[in-house]
Amino acid sequence: GAVVSQHPSWVICKSGTSVKIECRSLDFQATTMFWYRQFPKQSLMLMATSNEGSKATYEQGVEKDKFLINHASLTLSTLTVTSAHPEDSSFYICSATDREWSNQPQHFGDGTRLSIL
Amino acid sequence: AQSVTQLDSHVSVSEGTPVLLRCNYSSSYSPSLFWYVQHPNKGLQLLLKYTSAATLVKGINGFEAEFKKSETSFHLTKPSAHMSDAAEYFCVVSLGDMRFGAGTRLTVKP
């Protein structure tokens, strides 16, 4: 089945550093990838929708300059948390859709747990 | 706009007894509906999906869900719970982008 790989799975860093998270579709081409944020014991909140070759569409309240998204190819999207602070600590999950079937469910990565000290 | 409401934040059942996780949706058009399961510190795994075909949808691990348009519901059921079913379950409605319910934590007692 379709597989989405997310890396790293866990990262701890100091406040003020930038962290890059990668999301790859391993066996299909995904024109659209999604980035979610999940706080403990809460649901997933969509942060942005990333389309290959174009600028990401951010949800209301998500800072574009804080969460930089790049989707340079049909198999890779990256999320960079710039100048991270403790309040950015969260579980970040990416997903991707197969471009041929827009009605198909998204395939999710295993998530990245980000802890900012 | 579409949204989804999971009626129970926590459900506890005994192993071997039936599971019912409730979900109601709101959508201007005929949506696609999904159930996902998330185990601790893991991503999401698709259990089943409804995309305007059969109203009774069978998924993996013995789960199924019935789409009831008159009740705007898409409840998830399983005849007999297993310990490995303990996890967080999300009902999702989609008209292109996905909107997640708040989640239902399923606990299975031995």
Side-chain angles (χ1 to χ4, degrees):
Chain A
V3 177
V4 172
S5 173
Q6 193 171 336
H7 178 81
S9 58
W10 183 45
V11 59
I12 301 175
C13 61
K14 293 181 179 180
S15 182
T17 58
S18 293
V19 179
K20 180 184 285 188
I21 303 169
E22 293 187 347
C23 181
R24 294 179 185 272
S25 57
L26 298 184
D27 57 356
F28 68 100
Q29 293 183 321
T31 52
T32 306
M33 290 185 171
F34 303 85
W35 288 96
Y36 296 86
R37 183 173 182 176
Q38 184 180 30
F39 290 104
K41 301 187 185 301
Q42 295 189 27
S43 187
L44 280 73
M45 299 300 296
L46 180 65
M47 298 174 66
T49 302
S50 166
N51 292 294
E52 184 262 339
S54 62
K55 291 184 178 180
T57 301
Y58 289 81
E59 295 297 302
Q60 191 173 8
V62 179
E63 299 176 60
K64 301 178 182 180
D65 296 331
K66 176 74 171 178
F67 300 99
L68 300 179
I69 293 173
N70 181 278
H71 192 166
S73 76
L74 284 170
T75 59
L76 174 64
S77 176
T78 61
L79 168 68
T80 302
V81 183
T82 61
S83 187
H85 288 89
E87 58 266 28
D88 298 322
S89 299
S90 189
F91 193 55
Y92 293 87
I93 303 176
C94 74
S95 70
T97 58
D98 188 311
R99 66 174 177 168
E100 292 185 14
W101 299 292
S102 61
N103 207 26
Q104 291 299 304
Q106 298 171 18
H107 305 286
F108 287 83
D110 279 345
T112 297
R113 180 153 308 281
L114 175 62
S115 297
I116 308 299
L117 304 177
Chain B
Q2 70 272 20
S3 65
V4 63
T5 302
Q6 290 182 244
L7 299 170
D8 308 291
S9 60
H10 183 210
V11 170
S12 180
V13 300
S14 297
E15 189 175 22
T17 64
V19 175
L20 170 64
L21 305 183
R22 298 182 295 167
C23 172
N24 285 104
Y25 70 91
S26 173
S27 178
S28 302
Y29 303 96
S30 296
S32 295
L33 293 159
F34 309 88
W35 275 99
Y36 283 88
V37 61
Q38 184 182 33
H39 289 91
N41 295 311
K42 289 289 188 180
L44 282 81
Q45 180 183 21
L46 178 68
L47 283 177
L48 49 82
K49 62 181 180 182
Y50 167 78
T51 53
S52 73
T55 56
L56 182 61
V57 182
K58 293 188 183 298
I60 63 172
N61 300 336
F63 285 95
E64 63 181 38
E66 185 172 8
F67 174 74
K68 292 186 176 180
K69 187 175 182 179
S70 61
E71 299 177 11
T72 62
S73 68
F74 190 57
H75 301 334
L76 180 71
T77 60
K78 182 174 180 177
S80 176
H82 192 273
M83 294 297 291
S84 61
D85 294 327
E88 190 84 15
Y89 291 79
F90 293 99
C91 181
V92 181
V93 61
S94 175
L95 283 175
D97 64 332
M98 288 187 152
R99 301 293 166 173
F100 283 75
T104 298
R105 182 162 58 93
L106 176 64
T107 302
V108 181
K109 297 175 289 185

